Amino acid sequence: MALSDETNGTGDGEEPQGPVIRDNRRIDPETGEVRTPKDAEEKATGTGEGDASAEEAVEVPDTPEEVVTEAINADERVIELTGDIKRVQAEYANYRKRVERDRVAVRETATAQVVGELLPILDDIGRARQHEELTGGFKAVGEALEATATKLGLERFAEAGEEFDPNLHEALTLVPTPEISVQTVIEVFQPGYRIGERILRPARVVVGDPVGDAGDGAEDTGAAETADDASSDGGEGSDDQK
């Protein structure tokens, strides 16, 4: 009996062993498809999809708290640096605008100083044109000088008939003028000049002043005087009667 137990492998502590059957057929009897030796082995041993599902079932360990904290701090740092970059860009844009504005102001100031010295010459050219003395070579030189001043930004202003503006005009004389409702320039003694918004010289003009209000006042004064005379006459009459 001992020999029998050893022969069959059924001794104590040993599992009974049976014959091992491997399916080495190249054609799968169930699907009818050609299979590789690896597929046949997996079919025989019962492995394959079970192993894959077992691999997929492997749990991923949780992320440590320190790593999560570092990631949050890194995001906050990125946000902070982005804000700093935007602030620096805004400051640089404002700096460029300020520099450009200062450069324009300096250029206008320098141009105004140079052109301001030419205003008496331009006045002489204008008076010569009014008296029809701007002829020949003097006319060509005068027109070239005026064209150059205009190219530098010099603008002439003040014409008869426009409304009086104390910021642009200097009133030499105030003349009562009928048929106008506002103070109006009626004669220009000396034109004004400006460069951009900078007034180099105000225009010297004669200003017409409306007289409608003055006439009404005179009529009111006359009416008041007539009323006073009538009251005084009435008073003298009453004294005579007494």
Side-chain angles (χ1 to χ4, degrees), residues 19-62:
V20 178
I21 301 174
R22 288 187 170 85
D23 188 358
N24 294 328
R25 290 175 292 182
R26 293 183 59 83
I27 304 299
D28 193 333
E30 297 178 0
T31 61
E33 297 179 355
V34 178
R35 60 186 179 181
T36 61
K38 182 178 179 180
D39 295 338
E41 183 178 356
E42 291 177 353
K43 186 74 174 179
T45 58
T47 60
E49 295 180 357
D51 295 340
S53 61
E55 292 178 358
E56 292 177 357
V58 176
E59 295 183 357
V60 178
D62 295 337

Side-chain angles (χ1 to χ4, degrees), residues 38 63 73-74 78 88-89 105 129 133 143 152 156 200 210 214 234:
K38 182 178 179 180
T63 305
N73 294 335
V78 169
V88 171
Q89 289 178 344
R129 182 180 289 108
E133 296 179 357
E143 291 178 351
L152 291 175
R156 177 177 176 174
L200 300 182

Side-chain angles (χ1 to χ4, degrees), residues 3-4 11 17 29 39 50 52 56 65-66 98 110 124 133 139-140 148 152 170 181 184 194 203 212-213 224-225 228:
L3 180 60
S4 175
Q17 295 182 356
D39 295 338
E56 292 177 357
E65 185 177 355
E66 296 180 356
R98 185 169 60 254
D124 293 338
E133 296 179 357
K139 179 180 180 181
T148 302
L152 291 175
E170 179 182 349
S181 58
T184 306
R194 61 189 171 193
D213 296 337
E225 291 177 354
D228 293 339

Side-chain angles (χ1 to χ4, degrees), residues 20-201:
V20 178
I21 301 174
R22 288 187 170 85
D23 188 358
N24 294 328
R25 290 175 292 182
R26 293 183 59 83
I27 304 299
D28 193 333
E30 297 178 0
T31 61
E33 297 179 355
V34 178
R35 60 186 179 181
T36 61
K38 182 178 179 180
D39 295 338
E41 183 178 356
E42 291 177 353
K43 186 74 174 179
T45 58
T47 60
E49 295 180 357
D51 295 340
S53 61
E55 292 178 358
E56 292 177 357
V58 176
E59 295 183 357
V60 178
D62 295 337
T63 305
E65 185 177 355
E66 296 180 356
V67 177
V68 175
T69 304
E70 292 179 358
I72 294 175
N73 294 335
D75 293 340
E76 293 178 352
R77 183 60 177 168
V78 169
I79 295 173
E80 182 180 356
L81 293 176
T82 303
D84 292 340
I85 293 174
K86 291 181 179 180
R87 183 166 54 254
V88 171
Q89 289 178 344
E91 292 177 355
Y92 179 68
N94 294 332
Y95 169 76
R96 289 185 58 186
K97 292 179 180 178
R98 185 169 60 254
V99 169
E100 183 64 23
R101 184 172 59 252
D102 294 342
R103 181 165 53 190
V104 171
V106 170
R107 182 171 63 248
E108 288 183 354
T109 301
T111 304
Q113 291 178 351
V114 174
V115 177
E117 301 296 331
L118 301 177
L119 296 184
I121 301 175
L122 296 176
D123 292 336
D124 293 338
I125 294 174
R127 283 190 289 267
R129 182 180 289 108
Q130 290 178 356
H131 293 84
E132 298 182 356
E133 296 179 357
L134 192 65
T135 59
F138 180 59
K139 179 180 180 181
V141 174
E143 291 178 351
L145 181 60
E146 290 176 339
T148 302
T150 302
K151 186 177 180 180
L152 291 175
L154 183 65
E155 182 182 358
R156 177 177 176 174
F157 63 90
E159 296 292 339
E162 66 185 18
E163 184 178 351
F164 173 73
D165 186 353
N167 297 321
L168 302 177
H169 307 120
E170 179 182 349
L172 301 179
T173 307
L174 190 63
V175 179
T177 305
E179 299 179 356
I180 60 174
S181 58
V182 294
Q183 292 183 339
T184 306
V185 176
I186 59 177
E187 186 178 354
V188 179
F189 279 163
Q190 191 177 54
Y193 289 97
R194 61 189 171 193
I195 293 181
E197 299 297 330
R198 183 190 298 271
I199 303 297
L200 300 182
R201 187 183 70 187

Side-chain angles (χ1 to χ4, degrees), residues 210-234:
V211 296
D213 296 337
D216 294 340
E219 293 176 358
D220 295 339
T221 302
E225 291 177 354
T226 304
D228 293 339
D229 293 340
S231 62
S232 62
D233 293 341

